[in-house]
Amino acid sequence: MKKVIMIALSILLVGLLAACGTSEEASTGSGSGENSDKKVLTMGTSADYPPFEYVDSAKGEEIIGFDVDLAKAIAEKLGYKIQVKDMDFNGLIPALETSQVDFVLAGMTPTEERKQNVDFSDVYYTASHMIVSKKGSGIESLEDLNGKTLGVQLASIQADKAEEIGETVDMTVENRNRIPELIQEIMAGRFDAAMIEDTVAKGYFEKNEDLGGFTIEEAEAEAGSAIAFPKDSELTEKFNAELAKMKENGELEELIVKWFDNK
């Protein structure tokens, strides 16, 4: 009888150990891109930036856009699946630093300040800054922002640009977490204008004919958008290799045409 009990206990113990192993394998889907056995990568983004990343509520709650398609295309080539995690833009780099996400694709510019905390891929898209305001506002140049309130997204490259412009233009700069909030503040009359990436701004022009704007002329080309990774991540080199192939074979161009229709 004792022998039967011991055999039963052994079988139970083996079953429990097997279950623990299964649970551990299943849990590898978030936050650590350094595990070579991992099949799911978590992409951090701020889904308020059409056509880069956004939710089309008329079609569902799924986050879609150029960056999402790009991430899925590269991940598929590397044998991964993508899980998209939405958060405020200013929380993306901290999320990388604390392993909440494996990489960030959010139209992010690889500034020198950001490079101190994270690594970046090669640039995959280049755009310009645009000043957005109500039509008839009289804001047609940077000088027209004198005495005005300009909205920018918190922790964005536009926030840095506004600080630079503020050295020569006497204006008030206000921050908001999300791009739709900037547009709402303009429409409510609380902001005179906002600075937004031109590709994103054009999407709002199509939806609201009361809005207009102008592109800021730059002496040098903008740094563009790149994929952010934790420092020394093995994913950086892998993603760069696939990104280079997509540039060469025309796949990246196809995505640009699909989402921006400007090529």
Side-chain angles (χ1 to χ4, degrees), residues 5 8 27 77 141 161 173 182 187 200 237 241-242:
I5 293 173
S27 68
K77 298 173 192 299
S141 68
K161 187 66 180 177
V173 178
L182 299 178
M187 300 310 297
V200 177
E237 185 176 347
E242 297 304 327

Side-chain angles (χ1 to χ4, degrees), residues 239-258:
F239 270 59
N240 262 342
E242 297 304 327
L243 189 59
K245 292 176 186 176
M246 291 181 70
K247 288 178 180 179
E248 185 176 345
N249 64 22
E251 287 184 68
L252 183 60
E253 183 73 11
E254 289 177 9
L255 286 181
I256 290 173
V257 170
K258 172 185 175 180

